[in-house]
Amino acid sequence: MDIGSPARETEVVRRARAVLAEAKEDPSLLLSVLTDLTEAHERTLARAGLVDAGPGVPVDPLQAAQETIAQQQAEIQELRRELAAQTRRLNQSADAQNKELVFERAKLERLVRLGIAMAAERDETRLLSLILEGAMELTAADGATFYLITDKEDALEFQIIRNRSLDISMASEPNKPLPFPQVHLFDLETGAPNEKNVVSKAVLLRQTFNIPDAYNSKDFDFSGTKKFDEANGYRSVSFLTVPLIPRGGSVIGALQLINATDPSSGEVIPFDEELQGFVEALAAQGAVTIENQKLLQSQRVLIDAIIELTASAIDAKSPYTGGHCNRVPEIAMMLGQAAHDAKSGPFADFGFADEEEWREFRIAAWLHDCGKVTTPEYVVDKATKLETIYNRIHEIRTRFEVIHRELTVDYLSKKLKELGGDPTPDEALQAEYDKLQEEFEIVADCNVGGEFLDQEKIDRIREIAKRTWTRNFDNRKGLSQDEHLRLKGIQGRPPPAVENLLADKPTHIVKRDPGDIERFKSSGFKMDIPENLTNLGEIYNLTIQRGTLTEEERFKINEHIIQTIIMLETMPFPKNMQRVPEYAGGHHETMDGKGYPRRLTREEMSVPSRIMAVADIFEALTASDRPYKKPKPLSESLKILGFMCRDHHIDPDIFALFLEKKIYLRYAEEYLDPSQIDDVDIEPLLEIAREASAIY
């Protein structure tokens, strides 16, 4: 077979493939076989005269292939070495970038944590400390100072000073500023901007200043710093001063960091410019938080002012209740504190969680009678039974005067008929005079409210009412529109008309709007509602058995608590003040469920609501500015509270706490007249409280 023929080439290929298959696991076998094949092939070519076997350089394909392979292997090795070097450089770069990313991430996480902590902090001093300590941690600063701008915005006040090396930690307190002079923003004599002080300039220009070495600085006056250093054996070198600027607002202060330190060596170094950006971000975030806190505080102050304004409005409307609105919170807070401090007994598990819950309770105490702004003052201050806008006893006295004169006229007429008779009143006339005086005294005495009006006096009033007098003037002239409406359908008597001395007339009654009753019931109020809105009947009012108020007026007084609840429930209180309506609206409820307006039982009332009830009653009993009663001494007031405790009107545990902690005495020494403070034996009262408590 011709070795150069296609058949021969095909055979060589088949053999090569077979060898490749055999040499897959042993590359040296492949090289050996290829060498043998190549040499055999070259000899065959030489015998055939296809190659030059003479003295020139013979063609050696295997050697050429080997040289090519060797060259390629060398190139590959070089490429591998270059690849390895490049890989090392990339790994080093990646490690460096990863470390930087980890560092940046740590700083960002620190900023986020600080932001969350600052947003949750309510105390201004702790908030400033968070900002300052966060900035010191970010920059590894040795010292820091926090400044806030004054209300007049003309100076900066020291708020916090920290220095780790000198072990200094100082913070201003309310009404106790740090003992360092203010940094004035303007020259006191010329009014020029103070740009020599780095802090004042940072605030004025709203710009950050990064100073590598204060001792080499020619732009600012660091004489005060140098004196401090000399006195304390310190050296303030690097400074970073950042103004606090809430977004879109005015500068509110400045943060100054001192002496950045190298974490590895501890040496003082300049503040890193990249870290400066983080500090500025922290300062901006802190400024926003501080500004928000100030706005919240302003809102709190505004709300408190509105609350006090409401109490003042009641005070201006009626001095007899204004003192009550101011004094009840004092008693309530004393009782609340005692319950909060209790470590054992019925109040062991009770307590106000934080200042916000205290404030909620305090506001409820201030607002517990805010509904009285809707109660007419002539009802709130009703000092006598016949009093409306004015005391109608003067009308009745006038009628007595009229009768007196009518009797005199009758008498003189008779004397005139007798032509010269004696004008001196005879015994019959004098007896009538005396009887009129006696009857007026009875009416006047009944007009003044008391603890109880007996049936005998009620009968005398009805008897006196039968006396008559002659009206000579039209009683339907000069009336208001409402009075005309009340006269509608009532037949009048033209003058002269004989009138009873006292009367309950249809015109004395003002009917209630039927919708009122439905409105009260639909709101969950369970009070008994009188049919009439007002009843001005003279006999009806004079025969009131207890106090001075009619059923209608008493409901109007009690209605103030309904108005209190309605007013407070319509207010958009924040979540931390949601219980104000409950606390304020429950002080007329009783433990047996017979109080008003919702007839709640003890189990349905919170501790603060029950405290309010005791505070309200005790203040009312001891008050010396009520027009309808004399102030009671301590012993009598506590005795009445004891009766109310026994009758399940007030909470026995709170009453016992009131006695044991001598809150009644603390209040009395501050608010009561000394004549009211007498000796009190609290043991029988405590026994009543214990017996009542055992029932629940």
Side-chain angles (χ1 to χ4, degrees):
M1 180 184 295
D2 184 358
I3 62 173
S5 67
R8 178 62 177 169
E9 291 176 358
T10 302
E11 183 181 355
V12 171
V13 170
R14 283 198 303 270
R15 289 178 62 192
R17 286 179 178 171
V19 170
L20 285 173
E22 293 177 5
K24 184 180 292 185
E25 301 298 327
D26 187 359
S28 62
L29 177 60
L30 173 62
L31 181 59
S32 174
V33 171
L34 285 175
T35 302
D36 292 343
L37 285 173
T38 302
E39 290 175 351
H41 185 58
E42 287 175 348
R43 286 194 298 271
T44 302
L45 290 175
R47 283 195 300 270
L50 297 177
V51 295
D52 186 6
V57 177
V59 176
D60 189 350
L62 181 58
Q63 182 179 356
Q66 289 174 337
E67 290 175 355
T68 301
I69 291 171
Q71 182 180 359
Q72 290 176 345
Q73 287 177 339
E75 291 176 355
I76 290 172
Q77 285 296 107
E78 183 63 27
L79 287 173
R80 285 177 176 172
R81 286 193 294 272
E82 180 64 27
L83 180 60
Q86 185 68 18
T87 302
R88 285 195 299 273
R89 287 194 294 271
L90 288 174
N91 287 337
Q92 290 171 354
S93 177
D95 289 343
Q97 290 180 359
N98 186 56
K99 289 180 181 178
E100 185 175 352
L101 286 173
V102 170
F103 181 61
E104 297 296 321
R105 180 179 178 179
K107 288 187 293 184
L108 287 173
E109 288 178 348
R110 176 59 179 161
L111 279 177
V112 171
R113 289 197 302 272
L114 279 169
I116 294 172
M118 288 189 294
E121 185 55 65
R122 295 290 179 265
D123 183 85
E124 184 177 280
T125 301
R126 289 198 293 267
L127 174 59
L128 299 182
S129 294
L130 278 174
I131 300 170
L132 181 139
E133 290 167 3
M136 291 179 69
E137 182 179 338
L138 280 171
T139 60
D142 187 51
T145 306
F146 211 118
Y147 304 83
L148 285 182
I149 201 163
T150 60
D151 293 337
K152 295 181 179 179
E153 298 186 355
D154 61 352
L156 294 163
E157 290 183 326
F158 286 82
Q159 297 296 315
I160 302 177
I161 295 178
R162 296 274 194 279
N163 191 290
R164 293 193 176 98
S165 297
L166 298 176
D167 195 23
I168 294 174
S169 180
M170 303 173 68
S172 65
E173 299 176 6
N175 303 318
K176 189 179 179 182
L178 292 177
F180 300 104
Q182 295 179 343
V183 178
H184 295 283
L185 297 178
F186 303 93
D187 188 279
L188 296 179
E189 296 181 359
T190 66
N194 178 14
E195 296 188 355
K196 280 296 181 183
N197 187 294
V198 64
V199 180
S200 59
K201 188 170 183 178
V203 169
L204 289 168
L205 299 185
R206 303 164 66 94
Q207 178 181 339
T208 297
F209 288 97
N210 191 337
I211 302 171
D213 191 340
Y215 280 75
N216 293 329
S217 174
K218 297 179 180 179
D219 297 327
F220 300 104
D221 180 8
F222 282 102
S223 57
T225 299
K226 292 175 182 178
K227 288 180 181 178
F228 174 86
D229 288 353
E230 185 178 353
N232 292 277
Y234 191 71
R235 186 175 179 84
S236 304
V237 182
S238 54
F239 279 74
L240 181 63
T241 307
V242 183
L244 271 71
I245 310 173
R247 186 169 57 186
S250 302
V251 182
I252 63 172
L255 172 63
Q256 187 171 73
L257 300 172
I258 303 172
N259 285 0
T261 56
D262 186 325
S264 58
S265 66
E267 293 181 358
V268 176
I269 58 175
F271 285 92
D272 190 301
E273 291 186 0
E274 292 185 4
L275 289 176
Q276 175 180 320
F278 281 92
V279 175
E280 289 173 337
L282 175 62
Q285 189 176 14
V288 170
T289 306
I290 294 169
E291 187 74 1
N292 289 342
Q293 289 284 55
K294 288 184 178 294
L295 288 174
L296 287 173
Q297 182 61 27
S298 297
Q299 289 179 344
R300 289 164 63 96
V301 172
L302 177 61
I303 290 174
D304 290 349
I306 292 173
I307 291 167
E308 293 187 19
L309 178 65
T310 302
S312 298
I314 298 173
D315 193 1
K317 183 178 182 181
S318 168
Y320 308 120
T321 57
H324 176 77
C325 292
N326 282 275
R327 292 188 292 262
V328 166
E330 296 296 327
I331 305 171
M333 293 303 288
M334 290 180 190
L335 263 171
Q337 186 68 59
H340 176 81
D341 293 340
K343 304 301 181 186
S344 59
F347 302 106
D349 296 329
F350 171 77
F352 295 101
D354 50 32
E355 176 55 33
E356 290 302 313
E357 290 195 3
W358 273 110
R359 184 167 179 266
E360 181 181 46
F361 179 56
R362 184 169 58 251
I363 286 174
W366 272 94
L367 292 175
H368 81 284
D369 268 351
C370 67
K372 284 184 178 177
V373 298
T374 66
T375 307
E377 56 267 31
Y378 70 83
V379 176
V380 175
D381 299 345
K382 189 180 182 188
T384 64
K385 296 176 181 178
L386 292 174
E387 186 171 343
T388 54
I389 299 298
Y390 67 98
N391 188 352
R392 292 179 294 154
I393 191 66
H394 305 298
E395 285 186 12
I396 295 174
R397 184 189 298 110
T398 300
R399 298 172 202 166
F400 276 92
E401 294 285 356
V402 170
I403 294 173
H404 185 283
R405 281 158 180 72
E406 286 179 346
L407 292 172
T408 302
V409 169
D410 288 345
Y411 171 76
L412 292 177
S413 295
K414 291 178 182 178
K415 288 298 180 182
L416 286 174
K417 290 178 182 179
E418 295 175 3
L419 298 176
D422 186 0
T424 304
D426 59 16
E427 291 183 3
L429 179 59
Q430 188 61 50
E432 288 295 332
Y433 284 164
D434 293 342
K435 189 175 182 180
L436 276 176
Q437 292 289 347
E438 177 197 0
E439 289 176 348
F440 176 72
E441 286 181 10
I442 291 172
V443 171
D445 287 343
C446 287
N447 187 43
V448 179
E451 294 295 331
F452 182 74
L453 183 68
D454 59 36
Q455 189 61 42
E456 182 181 352
K457 286 189 177 180
I458 292 174
D459 293 340
R460 286 300 307 273
I461 290 294
R462 298 188 186 282
E463 186 65 30
I464 292 169
K466 295 177 182 178
R467 270 191 178 272
T468 59
W469 63 290
T470 304
R471 175 174 56 78
N472 292 288
F473 298 89
D474 193 338
N475 64 354
R476 297 196 173 207
K477 292 186 179 296
L479 303 184
S480 67
Q481 182 65 24
D482 285 345
E483 289 173 308
H484 279 298
L485 289 174
R486 291 203 299 271
L487 287 170
K488 188 176 181 179
I490 299 175
Q491 187 65 38
R493 290 181 295 169
V498 177
E499 301 272 3
N500 283 87
L501 177 59
L502 304 173
D504 288 337
K505 301 178 181 180
T507 55
H508 285 147
I509 294 176
V510 179
K511 291 291 184 180
R512 183 182 298 278
D513 184 346
D516 281 354
I517 298 176
E518 292 303 318
R519 180 168 58 88
F520 289 143
K521 288 182 177 179
S522 64
S523 299
F525 301 119
K526 301 177 181 178
M527 297 169 63
D528 295 327
I529 304 173
E531 177 186 358
N532 298 323
L533 186 66
T534 307
N535 187 336
L536 304 178
E538 293 162 346
I539 299 173
Y540 178 72
N541 276 266
L542 283 170
T543 54
I544 295 170
Q545 287 193 287
R546 293 183 184 276
T548 64
L549 299 177
T550 64
E551 179 188 3
E552 294 78 10
E553 289 166 337
R554 191 168 296 282
F555 176 80
K556 189 63 181 177
I557 288 287
N558 294 343
E559 189 186 358
H560 82 273
I561 195 61
I562 293 178
Q563 296 302 328
T564 293
I565 294 171
I566 291 174
M567 289 167 65
L568 294 179
E569 286 185 344
T570 57
M571 291 184 69
F573 284 112
K575 185 177 181 180
N576 61 345
M577 293 175 63
Q578 293 287 315
R579 290 171 293 188
V580 165
E582 176 205 342
Y583 295 167
H587 62 278
H588 287 299
E589 303 287 356
T590 57
M591 303 303 99
D592 57 4
K594 296 179 180 179
Y596 63 91
R598 288 180 168 142
R599 294 180 179 170
L600 302 175
T601 62
R602 182 177 187 262
E603 292 72 23
E604 295 172 313
M605 296 175 66
S606 63
V607 171
S609 296
R610 287 180 257 155
I611 286 175
M612 291 292 298
V614 173
D616 185 74
I617 296 169
F618 182 70
E619 194 288 325
L621 290 171
T622 57
S624 60
D625 52 10
R626 302 298 171 93
Y628 48 80
K629 72 173 189 66
K630 293 180 180 180
K632 298 184 184 300
L634 269 184
S635 58
E636 185 178 354
S637 300
L638 293 176
K639 185 177 180 180
I640 293 172
L641 279 176
F643 292 151
M644 298 181 77
C645 178
R646 184 184 59 196
D647 295 339
H648 311 297
H649 288 174
I650 63 174
D651 185 270
D653 294 333
I654 291 172
F655 181 50
L657 187 70
F658 188 65
L659 296 171
E660 291 169 349
K661 300 301 180 182
K662 297 191 181 299
I663 294 170
Y664 67 91
L665 187 58
R666 286 165 50 198
Y667 173 80
E669 290 172 346
E670 186 170 353
Y671 291 98
L672 300 190
D673 187 278
S675 62
Q676 293 178 256
I677 304 176
D678 55 358
D679 293 332
V680 179
D681 182 5
I682 67 170
E683 284 306 318
L685 300 174
L686 284 172
E687 184 59 31
I688 291 174
R690 284 190 284 266
E691 290 176 359
S693 180
I695 297 175
Y696 296 106

